[in-house]
Amino acid sequence: SIQPLKESGIDFARHAAEGVEVARFGELVMMSGLVLCDDVKWVSFHSGYDFGYLIKILTCQTLPSDEAGFFDLLKTYFPVLYDVKLLMQCVDGLHGGLQRVAEDLKVERIGPMHQAGSDSLLTNATFFRLADVAFHGVDNIDDKYCGEIYGLGAHAHRTQKYNQQPSAATNPSDSLKYNIDGNHVSVNGVNMRLASLNGDDHGDL
């Protein structure tokens, strides 16, 4: 239903009358430098449909009939992307949608839900907080999560490959138990302080 979107303030009639034409939007994105570039890193949440729409707009064609073809285009247009819904599987106890995960990680939303700006900002802030909790920083995120989308490909279900309990010597961040109390978090029994997202420099992503 689009009713929740209307209640969040999205004016569909105005979008139809004054919005950017789909083809023109695709042209602008292609010229923006945001796609086809390894230096641009995309952060998303359960984003199969999002990237599906974007690929369809960018290619001006219907989507491939199989997942292999879809992932080939995904890697071409969006070489580096991360799906928070997939990454959160690394932390026992995290589940639900974006708002629920953000609240569990003590990430504050700015602006109304279901608005592009607010949802994007919350996704980005949640990603950085999750990277700190599960991987001890963005630079330590395992390469196997790059370019993968929750619910598609190997992650259509939680396969044994990503659900098994590896030894701490090989990848200690794949299975973590956490407890958050204010600005402190206990991960597998180790206490750490969570830095505030306000004013902290996480670097460019």
Side-chain angles (χ1 to χ4, degrees), residues 41-59:
K41 300 175 178 63
W42 291 75
V43 175
S44 62
F45 188 95
H46 204 174
S47 52
Y49 283 107
D50 301 287
F51 285 110
Y53 284 123
L54 282 171
I55 289 173
K56 185 175 181 179
I57 291 171
L58 295 174
T59 61

Side-chain angles (χ1 to χ4, degrees), residues 27 38 56 64 82 98 123 127 141 150 154-155 157 164 166 171 192 195:
E27 292 176 357
D38 293 344
K56 185 175 181 179
Y82 295 97
L98 174 61
T123 301
F127 168 79
I141 296 178
Y150 180 85
H155 313 288
H157 301 284
Q164 62 188 0
N171 198 341
M192 298 182 295

Side-chain angles (χ1 to χ4, degrees), residues 94-162:
L94 279 184
H95 62 276
L98 174 61
Q99 185 62 40
R100 169 67 181 274
V101 174
E103 290 173 356
D104 286 346
L105 292 175
K106 301 296 188 286
V107 178
E108 181 181 358
R109 175 184 285 277
I110 300 175
M113 189 181 302
H114 302 310
Q115 290 278 1
S118 178
D119 284 359
S120 296
L121 185 60
L122 187 65
T123 301
N124 192 55
T126 301
F127 168 79
F128 281 113
R129 179 63 62 86
L130 180 59
D132 287 341
V133 170
F135 301 97
H136 308 297
V138 173
D139 293 337
N140 298 319
I141 296 178
D142 197 304
D143 290 341
K144 71 182 181 182
Y145 297 108
C146 181
E148 299 292 324
I149 293 180
Y150 180 85
L152 293 179
H155 313 288
H157 301 284
R158 293 192 64 181
T159 60
Q160 182 178 1
K161 175 182 177 183
Y162 285 85

Side-chain angles (χ1 to χ4, degrees), residues 55 64 66-78 81 147-155:
I55 289 173
D66 57 24
E67 283 190 341
F70 172 77
F71 275 102
D72 283 344
L73 289 174
L74 184 69
K75 185 172 181 58
T76 297
Y77 285 90
F78 308 97
L81 70 89
E148 299 292 324
I149 293 180
Y150 180 85
L152 293 179
H155 313 288

Side-chain angles (χ1 to χ4, degrees), residues 184-205:
H184 292 78
V185 59
S186 174
V187 182
N188 285 357
V190 178
N191 293 317
M192 298 182 295
R193 184 179 184 278
L194 289 176
S196 169
L197 287 173
N198 296 323
D200 271 10
D201 182 9
H202 292 277
D204 295 327
L205 185 84

